[in-house]
Amino acid sequence: MYFVETRGNDGIRESKINFSDAILNPSASFGGLYVPESLPTLDIAFLRKHIDSSYKELAADFLNSFEIDIEPSIIEQALNRYDDFDDPTNPIPVVKIEDDCFVSELYHGQTRAFKDMALQPFGYILSRLAQERGENYLIMAATSGDTGPATLETFKNQPNIKVACLYPDGGTSDVQRLQMVTENAANLKVIGVKGNFDDTQNSLKSLLASEEFKAELESRDIKLSAANSVNFGRIIFQIIYHIHSYLELVRKGEINIGDPIYITVPSGNFGNALGGYYAKKAGLPIEKILIASNINNILADWINTGEYDLRDRELVLTQSPAMDILKSSNIERVMYDKFGADRTKELFESLDESARFSLTADELALLQEDFIATYSDDNAGEEVIAHYAKEGYIMDPHTATCIKAYRDLRDSPLPTIIYSTAEWTKFSTTVSKALGHKVESDLEALEWVSKDQGAVVPDMINKLFGRDIKHKVVVETTEIKEEMLKFL
Ligand SMILES: *Cc1c(COP(=O)(O)O)cnc(C)c1O
């Protein structure tokens, strides 16, 4: 299987590359992304074959049918990372919360957010490739909370990889910050930045663009890669859990193989939704993909009107911070798939030059064949959390945004899968507030909610509060480069 570029080829890069090259060097011509030339088939026979498979068996066979240039033994080792999830035999439980509504819990991994689903196996593969080629890579991440911990965790002590992670000081939850600053490994660096997430991300971008910094990396023989969802190495693992969740409904007797379902995805950078789109396109019987946004509802506007307009939009900080995004990377892959490279290049040039693009009526109709969207605000989210807590189910504020989409968007009464992207323990102050008890700190919230609801706080969260702080550095944006050079 070869990978091609969403904005066409610049005549300098190779026009078709292997999976391994696409994940080591994820930036394509003209600022585009790599996409697979085609997809494997997920027909009824494939689904039948895997009705009794474990998650790892399903994943291995799916990756095999993708024909990527990674040795089966390396894929097997990578998938063994799921053995550290709560239940290695079923890393993703699917829980019924309404007669026709099921929550697929993607957060049972190492850092309690769904980022582990893809970053865990991806991190292993990237390190193995770097070792085989005798190359050293630096991964730099700016995080608003979940990507940082998951990236550090997957690469800690992995040969040939260094990770530097920038977070906005005061801009993450206590749990998220502790997950980063207590990580203890020589190949990891965590830097708090005085400023908000935008400041942090912008300083990372200017550092990566700086000729001086590039020269420093070159002199140390270090290459740059990326671990965010612009990297197809993450997307490929995000197709699999959509298949698994569908099969879980079959196993529970809720549907028969071949029956259509809806899926509902709380979206930011659109990696999770893109995985669902590829699964649907490959043949998984998904009627429509319901996109849930928070008040930063640019994705809902795009899907409902065909307009993607950044002018006059300010990022609003919400209780679902992982969805506080205005420039969503992975919509580009959907547009490439539907409209081709020339049109994608044109649309994204328009976005760069005039901060907007608009689809034609025909293009919008094509987009709406697969997607429908809505958004909800923090108040609606709190009501949802409180409502389901009364029914005995605790969800985090990102998952809560899905309920409005589930209630409002379906035009037939089909079973619906909602993706739960974080455990409540990562956003415990919001959950506590939704349940009518305002607290100041995560520790207080964790204690109160677990007592009030009889909910379990996993060991890895409890232990965070007693661990040594290894990364104490908090700097001005201007001092980041110096910190980085010290680390390298
Ligand atoms: C990253 C994240 C999201 C958004 O997922 P995308 O794939 O970027 O759309 C939603 N919820 C949580 C908790 C996340 O960490």
Side-chain angles (χ1 to χ4, degrees), residues 112-115 145-147 176 229 234-235 238 241 265-274 299 320-323 325 328 330 396-399 419-423 426-427:
R112 317 315 281 172
F114 93 112
K115 302 291 191 281
D146 284 338
T147 303
Q176 290 171 323
S229 58
R234 276 182 57 181
I235 302 299
Q238 293 190 242
Y241 54 69
V265 187
S267 295
N269 250 335
F270 220 67
N272 195 355
L274 178 71
L299 290 169
S320 43
M323 296 158 69
I325 284 173
S328 177
N330 279 301
D396 99 293
H398 300 81
T399 313
Y419 286 102
S420 183
T421 46
E423 187 174 59
K426 287 198 97 166
F427 301 96

Side-chain angles (χ1 to χ4, degrees), residues 465-478:
F465 295 90
R467 270 162 65 176
D468 285 349
I469 310 282
K470 295 291 173 190
H471 305 270
K472 296 191 176 134
V473 182
V474 178
V475 299
E476 300 287 347
T477 51
T478 49

Side-chain angles (χ1 to χ4, degrees), residues 40-44 46-47 239-247 258-261 263 275-288 417 419:
T41 316
L42 292 174
D43 53 11
I44 302 287
F46 183 92
L47 296 175
I239 304 172
I240 301 161
Y241 54 69
H242 295 286
I243 314 168
H244 164 86
S245 302
Y246 184 91
L247 287 172
D259 290 352
I261 61 161
I263 62 171
Y277 173 72
Y278 283 143
K280 179 176 193 295
K281 189 173 155 126
L284 193 69
I286 296 171
E287 179 76 12
K288 278 261 162 75
I417 290 171
Y419 286 102

